[in-house]
Amino acid sequence: MTTKLNSVLLIDDDEPTNFIAKMIVSKADLNNSTEAIQSGTKALEFLKKEELTHNDIPDLIFLDINMPTMNGWEFLEEYKELEIHKKKKIYLYMLTTSMNDEDEYRSQKYEHVDGFLIKPLTLKAYTEIVKKHFV
């Protein structure tokens, strides 16, 4: 595969989960950088930065649902209002431990959510997402 993404953003409060996901993404060697942020609030701050260049804007985001302070649903409510979508198409996947069908159904109501995955992120799932959207 010759296409490489510029950036992948992981939003999850669990450091070991971010570590594993970063390893998977790194092993696939399909992107130039991976950023892991441990809260929805900090992720929004990152995405709202004025100095964020086109290359800094993630091509792909993996978002956890269950996080303290700001959960994934609260993040999505603010995310949909960001101007960043006018600058670049970002694909967003929920990556969660929730096996609740209601959560998957709820995620489908958000136009910016492109899929729903159960943790952990796998090499196969990541590769398929990249092929689906970027090749």
Side-chain angles (χ1 to χ4, degrees), residues 35-101:
E35 181 78 31
I37 299 179
Q38 289 186 266
S39 81
T41 305
K42 290 193 185 309
L44 284 171
E45 289 171 8
F46 172 78
L47 294 169
K48 289 178 182 178
K49 287 194 300 190
E50 289 294 324
E51 65 274 9
L52 204 63
T53 68
H54 183 74
N55 286 340
D56 295 330
I57 298 171
D59 297 296
L60 179 59
I61 295 175
F62 290 103
L63 174 66
D64 186 26
I65 293 175
N66 298 311
M67 297 182 287
T69 310
M70 176 183 278
N71 66 35
W73 306 121
E74 293 163 331
F75 172 87
L76 286 171
E77 288 300 318
E78 292 197 35
Y79 176 81
K80 69 183 179 183
E81 302 301 324
L82 293 180
E83 293 290 317
I84 200 166
H85 303 293
K86 294 178 182 174
K87 298 178 184 176
K88 183 177 184 179
K89 169 62 179 155
I90 302 170
Y91 293 92
L92 189 148
Y93 279 76
M94 306 301 287
L95 181 61
T96 182
T97 56
S98 174
M99 298 179 103
N100 184 337
D101 291 339

